[in-house]
Amino acid sequence: QVQLAESGGGVVQAGDSLTLSCTLSGIVFTSFAMGWFRRAPGKEREFVAAISYSGGRTEYASSVKGRFIISRDNPKNTARLRMNSLSPEDTAVYYCAASRRSTDTVPTAPAAYESWGQGTQVTVSS
């Protein structure tokens, strides 16, 4: 059984940084691309960032490109999202997700991800 556990959310001020972590169990981590999505109050879930199973390829939403960095530590079965220069517009519940891949690609569509975490709240005050 695949389990994803996010951590690292919290309340920060605008301009601060925060790192989210997602630890997986129950799967061969290196066969899965990892993604981060978020859902802000009153809005649809949106793609934030994703990384291929090798870690060699990444994709970012335009709204976070240059501010957020996705990474993975395969020996530790962990994916991370480093968020810099946070603004109130980044306030949301952040979800990590896993997508089984046969090639080293980076899916951005939620439908490509089979397993999801419970989410962690990030609140950025102005």
Side-chain angles (χ1 to χ4, degrees):
Q1 182 179 357
V2 178
Q3 291 186 322
L4 290 80
E6 300 110 333
S7 62
V11 180
V12 297
Q13 293 187 330
D16 285 352
S17 298
L18 202 61
T19 298
L20 305 181
S21 296
C22 176
T23 301
L24 278 73
S25 60
I27 60 172
V28 178
F29 185 62
T30 50
S31 298
F32 286 75
M34 297 300 299
W36 288 94
F37 295 79
R38 67 187 181 187
R39 187 192 299 273
K43 294 187 177 181
E44 297 291 318
R45 178 177 55 185
E46 65 173 352
F47 169 76
V48 176
I51 188 167
S52 64
Y53 59 55
S54 75
R57 301 184 181 203
T58 57
E59 290 286 345
Y60 294 93
S62 57
S63 58
V64 306
K65 200 167 188 177
R67 299 188 299 123
F68 290 12
I69 301 172
I70 189 170
S71 63
R72 64 189 296 153
D73 185 342
N74 285 347
K76 294 184 178 180
N77 281 12
T78 297
R80 295 186 179 89
L81 184 68
R82 173 68 174 179
M83 304 184 294
N84 299 313
S85 301
L86 285 163
S87 72
E89 290 70 34
D90 296 313
T91 294
V93 177
Y94 284 72
Y95 300 89
C96 72
S99 173
R100 185 186 295 273
R101 313 304 293 173
S102 58
T103 57
D104 199 30
T105 51
V106 188
T108 60
Y113 291 82
E114 306 91 21
S115 302
W116 293 79
Q118 294 298 309
T120 185
Q121 176 71 46
V122 173
T123 302
V124 185
S125 61
S126 58

